[in-house]
Each structure stands twice: as C-alpha cells, then as structure tokens.
C-alpha cells in the first residue's frame, strides 16, 4: 500500500525539478494500491510540485461539440479519468475556459497560465495552454499511459500546421464566463478524413523520442512513467516532418529510420 511520502520519494529520485511546469496524464490503477486511493497520488503531486506549475487535462470533448454546444467550467465533467475529477474538487484548482480541452492548474502562476482560453478557436492552438507547454520548456508525465494519451502532441500538430487535423468549417460553441454571461464563438473541432482518432498513431513517435532523449522512464508506485520533454518532442517531430511525404500520424507503417533526426539514429 503506497503512501504519499513513498510516491514523493520516487518523484525526487527521478530527478524532477519541483519548480518546473508539469502536465500529468494518469492511469490511477496503474500506480497500484494506495492508502487513500487516487487522492494519495494527487496529494503527492501537489505537494512535490508546489513551487512550480502543476497541470491536469480536464477535457470535455466527449460531449461539448456533439451532445451539447455549451461548456461550463463549474459543472462540465472531465472525460479523461479519475485524477482530473479529483483535481477539480480541490479549492486551489483553477480550470481554464477552453470548451473541449480545458486544464486544471495548481500553483502561484495558475491564473496567469490559463488566462485567455476562451479565445481558443481550436483544440490545442500554439498560443493556448497546450501550446505554451513548448514555451515553458515543460515536462509531461504519462503515468501508466502511452503517447496516445499525450494531448500535447495535438498542439505540436497545430504548431507545425500538419494538414487534416482540424475541421475546415467551425461550429458555434458557448462558454459560461466568470461574470455569469455566455460567450459564443466559432470553434474548429478535431477532424481527419481517414480516422476518428489521430492520437492512436502517436505511439509510433515513441521510439524516435526515446532515441533523441525526449522521453525517459521512471517508476511511480507500480506504474512506468514516460517523462517527456515538451520542447524536444516538438523539435524532433518537426525534423521528421521535413522529410515526410505521407501522413506519419495516420499511416500504418512505422516511421522510416532514415527520417529520424541524425541525433536519434
């Protein structure tokens, strides 16, 4: 039965800087038995990264844009697992106003970091919370999950202007603003003519990321954690795209080694 202090010790042994910006994707079950379940893991992360900026995805794309055209940060339930739901129960959490790919932020800079998301016109624009992980030189923890759960890679697609990632025609969404009003604006959803889930193909990038030092593993509880360098992941993918003549995100073939950046071969 893992305790909070045991998990904090493992985070420290992994060499993580407590003052850094960190995005966390999690399978709570993968961590194993904990004395207070998912709250133990959440408490460990909040305590360890208290000097920095701790972020969790609180996505609502499963409903907003399909069964409803409205997003209310106070009541819209995340669709990405247990930990985001637990995070939103904490009074210090600050949730962004992005209608489909919101985040919960913890730390002194939380309010500053999430500011302006009500103007995001796509799932992960470079100027938004997901894109700013590059600017922050952030780390991404994939706790017991793979690159197919790494939402940041959608922002890399948008930053690099990868084709066939978002819809050509916008839909109209509404956000419940802090002053009680509803802000309506045009929004372009994820869209690809070949698949309903582009993210399933992000796992093909794992090998090149590892070779280039953008991903390394450590242990947290029973879980294997992929520690990702946001900036390096983007830079490596950009180099691959310069050599690509097909859509590496949806093609079934592996990425040819000759397309790898020189430092990743």
């Amino acid at each position: 039965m893992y305790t909070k202090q045991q998990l904090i010790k493992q985070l420290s042994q992994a060499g993580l800087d407590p003052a850094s910006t960190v995005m966390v994707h999690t399978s709570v079950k993968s961590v194993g038995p904990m004395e207070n379940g998912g709250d133990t893991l959440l408490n460990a992360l909040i305590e360890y990264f208290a000097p920095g900026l701790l972020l969790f995805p609180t996505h609502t794309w499963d409903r907003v844009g399909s069964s409803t055209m409205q997003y209310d940060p106070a009541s819209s339930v995340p669709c990405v697992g247990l930990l985001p739901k637990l995070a939103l129960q904490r009074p210090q959490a600050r949730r962004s106003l992005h209608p489909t790919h919101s985040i919960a932020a913890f730390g002194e800079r939380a309010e500053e970091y999430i500011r302006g998301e009500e103007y995001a016109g796509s799932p992960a624009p470079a100027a938004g919370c997901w894109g700013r992980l590059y600017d922050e030189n952030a780390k991404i923890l994939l706790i017991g999950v793979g690159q197919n759960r790494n939402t940041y890679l959608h922002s890399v697609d948008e930053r690099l202007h990868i084709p066939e990632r978002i819809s050509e025609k916008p839909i109209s969404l509404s956000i419940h603003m802090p002053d009680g009003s509803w802000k309506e604006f045009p929004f372009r959803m994820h869209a690809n003519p070949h698949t309903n889930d582009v993210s399933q193909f992000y796992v093909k990038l794992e090998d090149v990321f590892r070779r280039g030092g953008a991903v390394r593993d450590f242990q947290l509880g029973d879980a294997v954690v992929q520690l990702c360098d946001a900036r390096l992941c983007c830079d490596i993918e950009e180099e691959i795209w310069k050599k690509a003549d097909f859509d590496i995100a949806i093609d079934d073939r592996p990425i040819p080694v000759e397309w790898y950046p020189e430092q990743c071969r």
Side-chain angles (χ1 to χ4, degrees):
M1 189 75 69
Y2 291 105
T3 66
K4 180 185 73 171
Q5 290 306 318
Q6 286 174 320
L7 297 179
I8 287 176
K9 182 178 180 181
Q10 288 181 302
L11 292 170
S12 178
Q13 290 173 336
L16 294 167
D17 180 2
S20 58
T21 297
V22 177
M23 172 62 74
V24 181
H25 292 272
T26 316
S27 165
V28 172
K29 288 183 180 179
S30 71
V31 180
M34 294 174 280
E35 57 183 2
N36 292 308
D39 281 307
T40 294
L41 174 58
L42 181 58
N43 289 337
L45 291 167
I46 290 175
E47 183 172 325
Y48 186 81
F49 291 109
L53 183 62
L54 178 63
L55 311 170
F56 298 93
T58 55
H59 301 171
T60 53
W61 46 255
D62 64 325
R63 295 178 303 281
V64 178
S66 55
S67 60
T68 179
M69 297 294 139
Q70 296 182 329
Y71 166 66
D72 185 346
S75 61
S76 295
V77 179
C79 62
V80 282
L82 175 62
L83 212 64
K85 295 176 183 176
L86 294 177
L88 288 179
Q89 295 175 10
R90 302 300 177 93
Q92 67 268 47
R94 297 294 179 265
R95 191 179 192 182
S96 72
L97 293 175
H98 194 292
T100 61
H101 289 70
S102 63
I103 69 166
F106 293 78
E108 289 186 4
R109 294 196 298 120
E111 290 280 6
E112 173 192 352
Y113 190 83
I114 66 172
R115 190 174 298 134
E117 284 291 85
E118 65 273 24
Y119 300 107
S122 60
C129 285
W130 291 100
R132 285 198 294 272
L133 293 176
Y134 181 94
D135 305 320
E136 293 265 332
N137 198 20
K139 306 304 178 188
I140 300 164
L141 305 186
L142 303 178
I143 303 176
V145 298
Q147 293 294 333
N148 58 319
R149 295 292 182 266
N150 189 354
T151 302
Y152 169 69
L153 295 181
H154 288 295
S155 78
V156 172
D157 286 348
E158 293 200 37
R159 179 182 293 271
L160 300 181
H161 305 291
I162 306 304
E164 299 184 332
R165 288 298 179 272
I166 53 178
S167 60
E168 292 185 9
K169 293 183 178 181
I171 60 175
S172 182
L173 297 181
S174 295
I175 300 172
H176 199 202
M177 300 295 290
D179 64 3
S181 65
W182 286 90
K183 174 182 173 61
E184 186 174 349
F185 72 110
F187 187 85
R188 298 165 66 199
M189 303 285 286
H190 277 141
N192 185 283
H194 310 289
T195 178
N196 291 325
D197 183 17
V198 168
S199 61
Q200 65 182 301
F201 297 98
Y202 289 154
V203 294
K204 296 198 301 182
L205 293 164
E206 185 177 327
D207 178 63
V208 64
F209 285 165
R210 289 185 182 282
R211 292 193 189 199
V215 170
R216 67 175 176 87
D217 293 338
F218 71 92
Q219 197 81 13
L220 187 62
D222 294 339
V224 175
V225 182
Q226 291 189 45
L227 172 59
C228 311
D229 183 302
R231 186 172 293 174
L232 193 51
C233 283
C234 179
D235 292 347
I236 287 173
E237 188 173 345
E238 183 175 18
E239 288 301 309
I240 292 173
W241 268 97
K242 289 178 180 178
K243 302 176 181 180
D245 61 357
F246 65 90
D247 190 335
I248 62 173
I250 63 170
D251 195 288
D252 289 336
R253 294 172 291 173
I255 301 170
V257 174
E258 58 266 28
W259 289 5
Y260 285 22
E262 185 174 347
Q263 70 272 22
C264 301
R265 298 181 186 178

